[in-house]
Amino acid sequence: MTTLNAELRTFYEARQQQIPAEIREIMQRAGQELADSGQADRALTVGAQAPRFSHPSATGQTLALDELLADGPVVLTFYRGAWCPYCNIALRSLQQHHDAITARGARLVAVSPQIPDESLTLTEKHDLAFDVLSDVGSDTAKQYGLAFDLPDDLAAVYDKLGFDLQRVNGGHPRTLPLPATYVIDRDGVIRWAFVDTDYTARAEPADIIAALDALN
């Protein structure tokens, strides 16, 4: 069976052929600068208390981390948005492993900086069985040490590609989260963490499931 990151790599390599060289160069330079910034090292990791949050979901509810933890451990994943094809591939993969996650008593929650209406199209599109929450302004991503601002040239590229982050992120077009996934135990302690500055890399569902098994 193909791993999620192998699927992402295949998609990335095909995508590179379609992107003009000058745009590729801007993307690669921004990616290297983000990797060199030490941002990933500043993100919360194993042993930290998970910052609490309460956010609207794509289906109109408001969900708080404390409520979720009352029922069991939480798998919390941060993604950039429905406009990001790597995010969509990762969320579809999590959906395929959703039964295995819930069978271990855990709740899967995905968080992006998009407004709820934009997240809803994603939920409908992929029939996700888990909650998709809106962290507009990225306050929660900041608390987890994940939020960063796009450099000017990359923001201009995203505008040119029609991503319209000004609208979908509710007036916060420059701020995005690093791809990250946390397994949080019922006491609110982070027990497993994946954080990467590379948006084409994501937590493997098999590793998430192994982390949940280690809790029990």
Side-chain angles (χ1 to χ4, degrees):
M1 187 172 147
T2 308
T3 65
L4 169 58
N5 281 288
E7 185 183 350
L8 290 167
R9 178 51 43 179
T10 300
F11 179 84
Y12 170 80
E13 286 166 359
R15 182 100 165 172
Q16 289 302 289
Q17 309 303 315
Q18 302 160 0
I19 298 174
E22 64 274 14
I23 291 181
R24 272 207 314 272
E25 187 186 336
I26 290 168
M27 289 176 160
Q28 287 164 359
R29 184 169 65 245
Q32 191 58 55
E33 286 171 0
L34 185 57
D36 293 343
S37 72
Q39 176 85 38
D41 297 329
R42 293 191 291 275
L44 293 187
T45 190
V46 174
Q49 272 288 331
R52 300 311 199 252
F53 58 79
S54 179
H55 290 305
S57 77
T59 54
Q61 301 168 284
T62 296
L63 291 179
L65 182 59
D66 279 333
E67 293 169 36
L68 299 170
L69 290 172
D71 296 329
V74 168
V75 176
L76 175 65
T77 192
F78 289 85
Y79 71 101
R80 300 177 344 142
W83 53 270
C84 168
Y86 300 93
C87 298
N88 292 331
I89 291 168
L91 291 178
R92 280 201 300 274
S93 181
L94 286 171
Q95 173 63 35
Q96 288 162 7
H97 293 82
H98 186 246
D99 287 350
I101 290 169
T102 56
R104 287 156 174 82
R107 181 85 170 261
L108 174 61
V109 179
V111 176
S112 89
Q114 292 188 302
I115 57 177
D117 284 352
E118 292 299 320
S119 300
L120 185 61
T121 57
L122 181 77
T123 305
E124 289 172 341
K125 202 187 305 177
H126 301 312
D127 297 324
L128 302 181
F130 52 89
D131 292 294
V132 176
L133 306 184
S134 290
D135 177 26
V136 178
S138 295
D139 290 338
T140 296
K142 287 171 187 167
Q143 287 182 285
Y144 281 77
L146 302 171
F148 70 97
D149 288 337
L150 294 169
D152 291 345
D153 53 357
L154 184 56
V157 164
Y158 283 0
D159 285 343
K160 196 172 171 183
L161 292 172
F163 293 156
D164 198 4
L165 299 187
Q166 175 73 27
R167 180 178 60 81
V168 301
N169 286 0
H172 301 272
R174 301 293 291 278
T175 308
L176 295 176
L178 299 180
T181 301
Y182 294 100
V183 172
I184 304 168
D185 71 15
R186 293 189 69 158
D187 295 324
V189 177
I190 295 170
R191 293 299 181 194
W192 183 86
F194 170 93
V195 179
D196 203 314
T197 56
D198 180 0
Y199 62 83
T200 72
R202 303 297 162 114
E204 283 293 344
D207 294 338
I208 295 168
I209 290 162
L212 289 170
D213 286 339
L215 290 182
N216 300 323

